[in-house]
Amino acid sequence: MTVQGAWQRAARGALLLDDDGTARTTIFAEMSALAASTGSINLGQGFPDYPGPVEVTDAAQREIANGNNQYPPGRGMAVLREAIAEHQKRFYGLVVDPDTEVLVTAGATEALSAAILALVEPGDEVLTFEPFYDEYGAVIGLADGIHTTVRLRSPDFAPDHDDLRAAVTDRTRLIIVNTPHNPTGAVFDRETLQLIVELAERHDALIVTDEVYEHLHYDGSTHTPIATLPGAAERTITISSGGKTFNTTGWKIGWVIATAPLISAIVAVKQFLTYVNGAPFQPAIAAGLQLPDAFYRDLASDLAGKRDLLAGGLRAAGFDITLPRAGYFIVADAAPLGYDDGGAFCRALPELAGVVAVPISAFCLPGSAGQYGSLVRFAFCKRLEVLEQASEQLARLSV
Ligand SMILES: *Cc1c(COP(=O)(O)O)cnc(C)c1O
């Protein structure tokens, strides 16, 4: 029996619908399974293999013990909404009303789904940068939107401004901006962010930002939320999450910040996706957001050290790499090792070196995948000994 339904639009949007009408599993699931079956080091999926701050994990345990185990309020617990507002003020000077302009969600994932489903009408164009996080394509498909892209080109993966001007039209409803960017680690400069705001104003589009890597910045680079630019706040839906900042990707506590009318529209959808989630984790993430600046500095410098270790290993193995200024990932070019096809290379890598990575082409529309042919993504959010072992094993590629 062929099961008809909107799932086909989601699968097609995430580039997972085969010609025979069946859905493939994601490359992340395929590669994680390959890592498990071959006993390889999994640098494919971006989750940390070390714990978050004790202030955060202890708080969650206390909350459960003290009975915070029932439905929290629909927009999230006040303690977390207030901590989110305070965080925006402390780091970016943004003033937001925790009662009307903040919504707690089941991770950034639900925040993105609810925002796209709430704001896109069938046939509206939604612009993303490419390569793109697979969820964007899936939910644009579910909403029956039309997915358009601006390509980010190696080595710096900065968008070309003329490409961007040509891509935004009166049909564009949303522009989804992910900076720092997954998978490339690119950080959009201020001029680019300014242009995005100008284009959104000119064409009456809304901007959705995915800022889950906002605190993972290296080499003195800083994060500029689009909402801080002149004229941007009224048309920007800012999305972030505690998962990447506090090493709690399994907790799924995310949030949306936007004007009161936009939040109301997004709540109208969100309440029927999950209603609410994660009661004991909400005050724990609030405690994390209140940690002193030293925590945030150490987080970034620890990750920069991990990045440098893996970068050294990849270079020694013969890859061409671009050192990312942010995020969890290094993009490496396997062409110097004699591989033109990143997908084929990733399927061979467990056998060759006992390491798993994912091809950048998995984040691209079929027509663009060729542009990124030999590029693969390695996660460095792993313990130093794991990265050392991976580097040692990758060295086998160069002999
Ligand atoms: C991890 C990730 C998300 C999902 O965040 P959750 O809070 O785990 O739902 C969203 N966007 C990007 C770019 C990510 O890397």
Side-chain angles (χ1 to χ4, degrees):
M1 186 178 88
T2 318
V3 181
Q4 302 290 335
W7 70 268
Q8 290 167 308
R9 291 207 305 275
R12 190 180 303 115
L15 317 166
L16 297 172
L17 196 66
D18 277 336
D19 293 340
D20 65 358
T22 57
R24 274 173 289 131
T25 52
T26 72
I27 189 81
F28 310 102
E30 181 190 341
M31 289 298 160
S32 289
L34 197 57
S37 67
T38 59
S40 296
I41 300 175
N42 188 356
L43 303 185
Q45 221 173 4
F47 61 88
D49 65 351
Y50 42 89
V54 287
E55 293 88 339
V56 173
T57 51
D58 281 0
Q61 295 188 29
R62 267 198 316 275
E63 290 292 327
I64 292 172
N66 292 343
N68 181 15
N69 300 305
Q70 308 308 326
Y71 298 129
R75 290 185 175 214
M77 291 174 65
V79 65
L80 177 55
R81 284 185 282 105
E82 280 158 16
I84 291 164
E86 189 50 43
H87 169 275
Q88 296 307 95
K89 181 134 196 296
R90 168 178 161 201
F91 286 98
Y92 311 122
L94 284 167
V95 177
V96 300
D97 179 346
D99 293 328
T100 60
E101 298 178 327
V102 178
L103 169 67
V104 175
T105 56
T109 305
E110 189 199 28
L112 287 156
S113 306
I116 295 167
L117 290 171
L119 301 170
V120 173
E121 296 272 22
D124 282 350
E125 288 186 4
V126 181
L127 177 67
T128 76
F129 295 86
E130 186 177 16
F132 55 86
Y133 188 62
D134 56 350
E135 183 196 359
Y136 307 160
V139 185
I140 294 166
L142 270 182
D144 229 346
I146 295 168
H147 188 177
T148 59
T149 68
V150 167
R151 284 183 194 158
L152 305 177
R153 293 168 214 276
S154 138
D156 65 349
F157 300 107
D160 178 84
H161 286 193
D162 288 333
D163 288 354
L164 190 50
R165 283 189 197 92
V168 183
T169 73
D170 288 344
R171 292 184 303 279
T172 308
R173 176 67 176 147
L174 297 184
I175 304 173
I176 303 182
V177 182
N178 172 214
T179 182
H181 184 254
N182 174 9
T184 67
V187 176
F188 287 11
D189 62 21
R190 206 180 167 84
E191 290 68 39
T192 300
L193 300 180
Q194 191 66 60
L195 177 59
I196 291 168
V197 175
E198 272 169 42
L199 292 168
E201 278 173 343
R202 190 175 314 151
H203 297 284
D204 200 24
L206 296 167
I207 302 166
V208 172
T209 70
D210 177 344
E211 307 186 22
V212 300
Y213 297 103
E214 63 185 311
H215 288 293
L216 314 186
H217 266 268
Y218 319 126
D219 312 330
S221 70
T222 54
H223 178 61
T224 305
I226 287 201
T228 60
L229 299 184
E234 67 188 63
R235 59 177 68 251
T236 300
I237 295 118
T238 301
I239 291 174
S240 192
S241 157
K244 309 281 160 67
T245 304
F246 304 115
N247 306 339
T248 52
T249 59
W251 288 10
K252 302 301 282 190
I253 301 297
W255 50 88
V256 185
I257 301 163
T259 61
L262 283 169
I263 288 288
S264 294
I266 296 167
V267 169
V269 171
K270 181 264 185 294
Q271 64 194 343
F272 300 114
L273 295 177
T274 54
Y275 178 44
V276 292
N277 74 295
F281 303 119
Q282 292 193 18
I285 294 295
L289 292 171
Q290 288 158 348
L291 287 171
D293 292 352
F295 162 76
Y296 291 92
R297 270 200 306 275
D298 291 351
L299 170 71
S301 66
D302 270 11
L303 274 162
K306 294 175 190 299
R307 173 199 64 174
D308 293 344
L309 178 58
L310 183 62
L314 290 169
R315 285 201 181 106
F319 292 95
D320 267 348
I321 64 162
T322 316
L323 206 59
R325 286 191 297 155
Y328 270 171
F329 307 105
I330 296 178
V331 174
D333 191 346
L337 291 161
Y339 292 87
D340 292 334
D341 178 347
F345 176 73
C346 287
R347 287 183 183 92
L349 194 55
E351 179 91 347
L352 295 169
V355 173
V356 161
V358 294
I360 297 296
S361 57
F363 302 84
C364 299
L365 298 176
S368 324
Q371 295 265 325
Y372 301 93
S374 54
L375 299 182
V376 300
R377 188 192 82 171
F378 289 89
F380 56 81
C381 49
K382 307 293 171 185
R383 284 170 286 130
L384 290 174
E385 59 268 32
V386 171
L387 297 173
E388 259 156 29
Q389 183 65 40
S391 298
E392 230 166 77
Q393 293 176 202
L394 287 166
R396 292 179 205 154
L397 295 171
S398 65
V399 292

